[in-house]
Amino acid sequence: MDSMSETAALSPSLSLPIARMTCASCAGRVERALRKVPGVEEVSVNLATEQARLRGSAPLPALAEAVRAAGYELQEGSRDIGISGMTCASCASRVKRALEKVPGVLEASVNLATEQAHLRLLPTVDDAALAAALQKAGYALAAAPEEQAADPAPDRRALWEVVIAFALAAPFLLGMLGMALGRDWMPPGWMQLILAAPLQFWLGARFYRAGWRALRAGTGNMDLLVAMGTSAAFGLSTVQWLRGEHHLYFEAAAVVIAFVLLGRFFEHRAKRATGAAIAALLALRPRTARRLGRAGREEEVPLAALRVGDSIVVRPGERVPADGVVEDGAAGVDESALTGESRAVEKRAGDAVSTGTVSLDGRLVVRARAVGGDTRLAQVAALVQAAQASRAPVQKMVDRVSAVFVPVVVGIAVVTLVGWLLAGAGLAAALLHAVAVLVIACPCALGLATPAAIMAGTGAAARAGILIRDAAALEQAGRIGLVVFDKTGTLTEGKPSLAALHPAEGVALEDALHLAARLQAGSEHPLARAVLAMVSDDARPAENFRALPGRGVEGVVEGRRLALGSTRLLEESGLTAGPLAEAAAYQAAQGHTLSWLIDLAEPAILALLAFADAPRPTAGSAVRALKERSVGVAMLTGDSPEAASSVAGELGIDTVAAGVLPAQKAERVAAWRAEGQRVAMVGDGVNDAAALASADLGIAMGSGTDAAIAAAHVTLLRPDPALVPATLAITRRTLAKIRQNLLWAFAFNALGIPLAALGGLSPALAGAAMAFSSVAVLGNALLLARWRAA
């Protein structure tokens, strides 16, 4: 809870859900801890409901820290909500502040591009409290994002509004063209009023409503600027017409509103396009499933009716409705939509399948292991959505600018008006220049610059099988200078085979293999599977078995205390290779991993086992691609120096740290960072988790363990080293788009506002330029959708 909002404070009464309380003394300890927090007036803790009831004015972060210090935790969750009424960067900042003031909201992250907020909050916070806070700030709680995406009505309505707006504005546009050609094609004054009024007060009513809500909240937004500017132009023109003047400026108000509506329409369409990655992922879920009944009959049921343990039939051409294991049948399965892998993957009994993948040419019976929100597809969609909703560190600068933007623009408009009046211009000319300032000063492009690029970039990465956890990870990935690979399972296939077995003198080969298999029985380690694959019968596990991290395993087999492990374990046992030294040197020279079977009681060597693990097909090209980008490459492995050097030489890796224990991997990464390197660590095992977490960027292979994936900032959905340079490529391209968008947005306002203030832009041209600015930023971000992993 380190990033909780400092502004979230207690209401007169608040309930805090407390986790980990087990007895009455726990409740008493929590109560005493909370009572000590300054500002708490009254507190009572109920063990049965696991709730603490408080009155007072203590800030929520202080309460959370007190609960944690007492040895307990606040129960918290997350929620995504849709928000309507946001039009610019200052809106997003204001919504964030409003939501974080709701008692029980720990942190809010607001994304203008998706029109959503991601909240960390207590489960006691209801939507009514959030809606009330939003309404007070001038906004509203909207439908869920997926409901909005499924409803085409808003798009159709917005399109018709744009069509009507330009139909009404067409005579004004024709008149402006006539002025440019030296002709008077402008309609008469009464007709201008009739055409402009519905634009101003019907189609433009949204600007008044949103601007008024902002004023009531004591702030300003883009709608307020448009409402002020067009009202000034319309009002001045009406007065001029009533006085019989011929110089009218209805076109300034009418054309500005038409162009702003057009810009909003294209902006909304582009926003929906940037969120297409999530929609595409969720669309992979079939609506129904064929469940196999007890009598072997198939019944079609809604997806929500599936339960873990159900048997599901997947026919050729159908999508798998749940994560599970194939019980019967064989088929090629298209996993491209989930992993980005274009080749069909053969699946047969015992193989795992994932929701959303397609059976191409066979009937499968699948036993469900995960359904609904627990499936891999749902978790991938959640990760992509969280990444798109996150805020990049560079966004903080934009938030600071947007917080003061509207008041500053209004001030500049007032100065422009007064300046032109003092310079001798008439009221009409001075007012038009001030209106142009209000209209051109659109902070929409500024607010959309970063989130639009993040959405498009993370969406493109997800389609290629690259999951980026959040925007901060994206920024880190764009600046990596050294990529460190684990060897086994990352650069290599992770499916070693027993290449050779050299028994010691007096030990039969069959006996050595049998003893090694007993030691490895029940283990999921790749080397264990390689040994077990060589024996025909199921080996009984050793007694008193235990793992020796970074060294091997030991246990009691047939009354003998045995160990099987690395050369480090051999040396720690006080032994040397002896007569097997020549065989060990030869196998190491072949790049094989060495394991020694040792009788610990004597101690004595019983056998030498050599394992071969081929490099992944794309490992060499991945290393070359990184070097071509001027990124250093290193290997970090617990394997022997000889085996590591052999693989490194084959792949072209110059820096190798071999024989490294799991605890030392994180230390080695920290040492590289201490040298000034920005380090990315790529791994897949439990022993890589600490190194992944300690690196500037942790990249976990999707085939790896849950611990490795949880510790990583980026997850690769398929075990392909080529996705590592692809990750750096898409993140760097996304960062480039962010910089381009911010440069455009700042430059647009820096040049446009003075130009309008000095009389270089009419309000109509300012409106067109403003609309173009937002659409240009979104269009530039959408270019990322074309990106494909090499």
Side-chain angles (χ1 to χ4, degrees):
M1 307 209 183
D2 301 326
S3 56
M4 291 177 191
S5 165
E6 293 296 333
T7 60
L10 272 176
S11 63
S13 178
L14 181 69
S15 292
L16 298 181
I18 311 294
R20 299 183 183 176
M21 292 193 300
T22 58
C23 60
S25 62
C26 293
R29 190 153 53 248
V30 171
E31 188 169 312
R32 289 191 296 273
L34 290 172
R35 204 179 297 279
K36 292 178 183 177
V37 178
V40 172
E41 299 170 4
E42 185 180 324
V43 58
S44 63
V45 179
N46 188 317
L47 176 63
T49 61
E50 297 183 315
Q51 297 274 329
R53 191 77 178 171
L54 304 102
R55 295 180 65 85
S57 59
L60 191 54
L63 298 173
E65 182 57 39
V67 171
R68 188 192 299 116
Y72 306 91
E73 293 287 346
L74 285 187
Q75 295 177 17
E76 65 173 83
S78 63
R79 195 179 306 168
D80 293 308
I81 60 173
I83 299 163
S84 63
M86 293 195 300
T87 57
C88 61
S90 58
C91 293
S93 299
R94 189 155 56 254
V95 168
K96 174 180 167 64
R97 291 193 297 271
L99 289 172
E100 288 183 338
K101 289 179 181 177
V102 176
V105 173
L106 307 175
E107 184 182 25
S109 176
V110 180
N111 190 317
L112 174 64
T114 59
E115 297 178 328
Q116 296 177 50
H118 180 73
L119 308 176
R120 285 178 51 236
L121 69 170
L122 302 181
T124 51
V125 180
D126 59 16
D127 285 349
L130 301 174
L134 288 172
Q135 186 175 12
K136 185 177 179 182
Y139 305 91
L141 195 65
E146 55 270 23
E147 293 174 19
Q148 292 176 338
D151 182 13
D155 272 356
R156 288 198 297 267
R157 186 167 57 248
L159 178 59
W160 273 111
E161 288 176 349
V162 169
V163 170
I164 294 169
F166 273 89
L168 292 170
F172 295 110
L173 292 168
L174 188 64
M176 293 168 66
L177 177 62
M179 284 190 288
L181 299 174
R183 307 287 182 88
D184 184 9
W185 293 345
M186 197 64 74
W190 62 269
M191 185 177 289
Q192 291 186 46
L193 177 61
I194 291 174
L195 291 169
L199 272 166
Q200 186 71 42
F201 301 112
W202 173 43
L203 296 175
R206 71 192 63 200
F207 304 118
Y208 289 106
R209 288 193 295 266
W212 172 242
R213 288 196 297 265
L215 278 178
R216 282 195 311 172
T219 58
N221 60 9
M222 185 57 213
D223 296 291
L224 182 61
L225 297 183
V226 173
M228 290 173 61
T230 57
S231 296
F234 186 90
L236 174 64
S237 300
T238 303
V239 171
Q240 296 277 70
W241 176 68
L242 290 173
R243 293 171 58 181
E245 296 284 345
H246 293 291
H247 296 291
L248 307 178
Y249 307 99
F250 285 113
E251 80 278 359
V255 174
V256 162
I257 289 175
F259 273 118
V260 171
L261 290 177
L262 179 65
R264 293 274 173 90
F265 174 74
F266 282 126
E267 186 179 301
H268 179 69
R269 292 284 295 271
K271 285 178 184 177
R272 289 176 67 135
T274 55
I278 296 174
L281 283 169
L282 295 178
L284 296 177
R285 296 179 298 189
R287 295 180 180 273
T288 60
R290 300 180 191 279
R291 186 166 58 190
L292 202 59
R294 292 182 178 179
R297 294 176 57 187
E298 297 178 19
E299 57 175 339
E300 192 165 341
V301 298
L303 200 62
L306 283 184
R307 297 291 180 266
V308 172
D310 284 349
S311 289
I312 308 158
V313 174
V314 183
R315 295 176 180 176
E318 292 183 342
R319 291 192 181 277
V320 179
D323 290 1
V325 175
V326 176
E327 287 186 319
D328 185 38
V333 174
D334 180 0
E335 298 182 330
S336 60
L338 191 61
T339 67
E341 175 59 68
S342 58
R343 293 182 298 109
V345 181
E346 291 298 322
K347 301 287 185 179
R348 56 189 69 252
D351 290 339
V353 290
S354 298
T355 306
T357 58
V358 181
S359 175
L360 297 175
D361 53 10
R363 178 182 183 272
L364 300 175
V365 177
V366 177
R367 176 76 67 176
R369 283 189 171 178
V371 297
D374 295 329
T375 64
R376 190 183 185 199
L377 176 67
Q379 292 167 359
V380 167
L383 279 171
V384 175
Q385 193 161 15
Q388 293 188 343
S390 63
R391 294 162 69 252
V394 71
Q395 186 70 23
K396 295 177 182 178
M397 171 188 63
V398 176
D399 292 343
R400 287 194 295 268
V401 171
S402 63
V404 298
F405 193 88
V406 173
V408 168
V409 168
V410 173
I412 294 173
V414 171
V415 170
T416 300
L417 176 67
V418 174
W420 279 98
L421 288 173
L422 293 177
L427 175 62
L431 193 58
L432 283 179
H433 295 320
V435 168
V437 169
L438 291 174
V439 173
I440 195 70
C442 172
C444 298
L446 195 61
L448 292 168
T450 300
I454 290 172
M455 288 178 68
T458 53
R463 284 192 294 272
I466 302 166
L467 291 185
I468 300 171
R469 179 179 291 181
D470 53 33
L474 189 145
E475 281 204 27
Q476 288 283 20
R479 300 185 175 95
I480 292 300
L482 175 66
V483 174
V484 181
F485 286 96
D486 170 53
K487 181 177 80 71
T488 305
T490 302
L491 286 173
T492 64
E493 293 282 3
K495 298 177 181 177
S497 59
L498 184 61
L501 193 156
H502 300 275
E505 187 176 350
V507 179
L509 187 146
E510 292 79 6
D511 292 341
L513 182 60
H514 170 71
L515 295 174
R518 288 285 305 274
L519 272 177
Q520 298 286 29
S523 174
E524 288 298 315
H525 192 281
L527 297 185
R529 290 197 292 268
V531 172
L532 294 171
M534 300 300 294
V535 295
S536 56
D537 300 327
D538 291 336
R540 288 185 295 109
E543 300 172 2
N544 300 325
F545 174 88
R546 72 185 183 103
L548 306 172
R551 295 169 178 81
V553 296
E554 72 170 53
V556 176
V557 178
E558 298 173 2
R560 304 166 69 183
R561 194 160 68 93
L562 306 178
L564 180 65
S566 64
T567 302
R568 180 190 292 269
L569 178 64
L570 180 75
E571 294 169 351
E572 290 178 356
S573 302
L575 297 171
T576 60
L580 294 177
E582 185 176 341
Y586 173 78
Q587 295 296 341
Q590 302 301 307
H592 295 163
T593 299
L594 306 182
S595 283
W596 301 86
L597 181 61
I598 304 168
D599 186 329
L600 295 174
E602 295 192 15
I605 296 174
L606 300 180
L608 165 67
L609 288 77
F611 298 90
D613 189 10
R616 294 188 183 274
T618 58
S621 59
V623 171
R624 289 192 297 275
L626 289 169
K627 289 185 173 182
E628 287 169 2
R629 296 178 183 275
S630 301
V631 175
V633 183
M635 180 193 290
L636 187 59
T637 178
D639 213 339
S640 68
E642 296 84 1
S645 296
S646 175
V647 173
E650 184 177 345
L651 299 179
I653 299 174
D654 302 320
T655 304
V656 179
V660 182
L661 294 175
Q664 296 172 331
K665 286 190 175 183
E667 295 173 7
R668 192 68 192 87
V669 168
W672 274 314
R673 293 183 67 194
E675 295 171 3
Q677 302 259 33
R678 286 187 179 270
V679 180
M681 173 70 196
V682 188
D684 73 328
V686 172
N687 59 353
D688 298 321
L692 288 167
S694 63
D696 292 293
L697 183 75
I699 302 177
M701 292 286 191
S703 59
T705 64
D706 291 341
I709 293 172
H713 307 98
V714 175
T715 299
L716 308 181
L717 290 180
R718 64 180 190 271
D720 184 354
L723 288 181
V724 175
T727 299
L728 302 191
I730 185 58
T731 53
R732 289 181 179 183
R733 191 167 296 188
T734 303
L735 287 177
K737 290 297 181 188
I738 290 175
R739 286 192 290 267
Q740 291 166 13
N741 283 351
L742 288 176
L743 178 63
W744 167 258
F746 278 118
F748 177 83
N749 286 307
L751 296 174
I753 293 175
L755 190 61
L758 294 173
L761 280 177
S762 70
L765 285 176
M770 181 202 71
F772 172 74
S773 174
S774 296
V775 174
V777 163
L778 284 164
N780 187 43
L782 284 174
L783 292 176
L784 287 168
R786 299 180 180 178
W787 179 85
R788 296 291 183 271

